[in-house]
Each structure stands twice: as structure tokens, then as C-alpha cells.
Amino acid sequence: MLRHDNGFALAGGSLLQFPIGRTRTAESGSGGSELVLVRPIPFHSLCERHLLSFHGVVHVGYLHGENQLDPAEFARIVQACSRGIQAQQRMTARIGLWLHHQLAPRGVGVLIEGEYACATAGRGAPTTTLAFYGSLRHSADGQREFVSLTRQEQKGIVRQ
């Protein structure tokens, strides 16, 4: 079995372990219950089935919790999680689990749209994978809001 992690992961596919610039959120009413959508983050990776590249964008939405990250930190997390040979579904879960455990939001959603070089040229639509954790995992309304905001952002309707 080929394992590629460039030192960013522990053996056995456990969560990423690298320092990030976390700050504690204020306990006053800042945070609220609004979904925060991070700008789309581009990625490149290798398909484990064909050993050809796939690329696309990662969308992250979360409900504030214990910690908050600088927007650049999200790009670092995506970059670290997209390294190596893998399936898009596992990458989606890996990003979501890392954010859920390390950022400690009340809820987190990850949507990845990837285009594969191994798909027939011109005929392949992007492959979309989703993962929800925390309060978003059991909230159909929260999941709908996340997907809806992501689609609006793609069309250029949402401005941050």
C-alpha cells in the first residue's frame, strides 16, 4: 500500500497535527447562530484509482464555536488534506473531521467539487461530495442553507 503524507499526518490516517493560529472567541453574543461561509479554496490531488490528478474547490461553512481561524488557515488545512493519493470522499471527511475536532465549531459543513483527469474529456461533470459534523449533521435546514449559500456564491450572488 502506498502512503503519502509529507509529514502532515500521523500513521493510520489520523487527524492532521500542525500548528495553526487559533484564537478564542469572545463569550459575548458575537458568533451567533449564523452560518459563516469561507471563500472557495482551490485544491489539487491524485485519484487513488487511476493515479491521475483531480482538482477543484472546497467550500467550508461553519457555526461559530470555541475557536476561530484566520481565512488563510483554511487554505493551509485544505492544502495539507489534499496532498497524496486518495479518494475525494475521504478528503471531504478528513477536512470536516479536522475542523470539527480542532476548530470546535457548533457545526461544520464541507462541500468539495472535483474534476478528474481520468474522466472522459469534455463529458465528465464535476463530482460533488459533502460532509456535515456537529449540529449541521442532524439539521436538514442547516444543510440546505449551506448548500444554497454555496450555490449562490458560485453564481456570484453572495459577496464577502
Side-chain angles (χ1 to χ4, degrees):
M1 180 168 160
L2 182 59
R3 186 172 150 249
H4 178 88
D5 62 18
N6 286 348
F8 281 95
L10 297 176
S14 61
L15 296 176
L16 294 171
Q17 300 292 316
F18 60 93
I20 58 168
R22 283 183 279 192
T23 57
R24 291 279 205 206
T25 58
E27 290 300 322
S28 62
S30 69
S33 62
E34 290 188 16
L35 186 66
V36 177
L37 194 63
V38 178
R39 289 192 178 275
I41 304 163
F43 76 91
H44 296 316
S45 192
L46 289 173
C47 170
E48 70 180 9
R49 188 168 182 187
H50 301 103
L51 295 179
L52 293 171
S53 68
F54 69 97
H55 65 279
V57 292
V58 176
H59 302 274
V60 176
Y62 65 98
L63 298 169
H64 279 291
E66 262 182 54
N67 302 310
Q68 61 186 16
L69 292 179
D70 183 301
E73 297 292 344
F74 286 99
R76 262 182 79 194
I77 292 162
V78 168
Q79 180 185 23
C81 289
S82 65
R83 291 183 178 179
I85 300 168
Q86 60 193 320
Q88 183 175 323
Q89 295 86 344
R90 272 196 301 262
M91 187 173 90
T92 306
R94 191 174 176 196
I95 293 169
L97 282 171
W98 194 94
L99 290 171
H100 179 66
H101 290 288
Q102 299 297 318
L103 181 59
R106 290 195 333 262
V108 65
V110 178
L111 183 145
I112 297 182
E113 294 177 310
E115 295 183 21
Y116 288 77
C118 51
T120 308
R123 296 180 47 173
T127 301
T128 302
T129 53
L130 285 161
F132 295 102
Y133 299 94
S135 63
L136 287 180
R137 186 176 189 99
H138 302 291
S139 170
D141 290 337
Q143 292 175 10
R144 263 192 301 275
E145 179 184 7
F146 171 66
V147 172
S148 173
L149 286 172
T150 300
R151 297 297 178 221
Q152 288 176 5
E153 186 174 62
Q154 287 176 325
K155 294 176 184 174
I157 297 170
V158 175
R159 300 276 184 226
Q160 287 187 340

